[in-house]
């Protein structure tokens, strides 16, 4: 099994920056995609960014150009650098990972990001 542990959430003013981290442990060699989803109050969980073991990140249109997803395979950790944050970025951010053999989906516990003046 895989466990995902998130960190880095908090409060920031509009225009500020935060960096989220997600460390994976367990059957880490089975992981394919990793990344982040977010869920704002009263809204559905939405994709933020995903990255494969090799390659660059893929981003939702709402964050493209402001967020950067990176993956350190040595540390089995993904990072989400969030710049130029907006109030609409306020949400609980959930780390995501999947595997193909067997086909499984894994979620972190969530970390709160609040953007306000």
């Amino acid at each position: 099994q895989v466990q995902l542990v998130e960190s880095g959430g908090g409060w920031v003013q509009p225009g500020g920056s935060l960096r989220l981290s997600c460390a994976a442990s367990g059957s880490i060699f089975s992981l394919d995609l990793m990344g982040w989803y977010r869920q704002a109050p009263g809204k559905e969980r939405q994709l933020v960014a995903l990255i494969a073991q090799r390659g660059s990140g893929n981003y939702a249109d709402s964050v493209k150009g402001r967020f950067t997803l990176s993956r350190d395979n040595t540390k089995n950790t993904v990072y989400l650098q969030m710049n130029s944050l907006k109030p609409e970025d306020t949400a609980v951010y959930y780390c995501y990972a999947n595997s193909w053999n067997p086909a499984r989906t894994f979620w972190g516990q969530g970390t709160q990001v609040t953007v306000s003046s």
Side-chain angles (χ1 to χ4, degrees), residues 88-111:
E88 52 262 44
D89 295 318
T90 296
V92 177
Y93 284 69
Y94 295 92
C95 186
Y96 166 91
N98 79 346
S99 63
W100 289 110
N101 187 22
R104 296 289 302 276
T105 300
F106 307 96
W107 295 95
Q109 80 285 353
T111 185

Side-chain angles (χ1 to χ4, degrees), residues 44-110:
E44 298 294 319
R45 190 173 297 185
Q46 298 178 312
L47 172 70
V48 177
L50 292 173
I51 191 169
Q53 288 200 25
R54 295 186 299 274
S56 58
N58 296 281
Y59 303 89
D61 288 342
S62 59
V63 306
K64 194 170 186 178
R66 300 186 297 118
F67 292 9
T68 302
L69 182 64
S70 60
R71 184 168 182 169
D72 186 335
N73 291 320
T74 300
K75 297 181 178 180
N76 302 302
T77 300
V78 291
Y79 306 92
L80 186 66
Q81 179 67 45
M82 304 185 294
N83 298 326
S84 302
L85 282 161
K86 305 175 180 179
E88 52 262 44
D89 295 318
T90 296
V92 177
Y93 284 69
Y94 295 92
C95 186
Y96 166 91
N98 79 346
S99 63
W100 289 110
N101 187 22
R104 296 289 302 276
T105 300
F106 307 96
W107 295 95
Q109 80 285 353

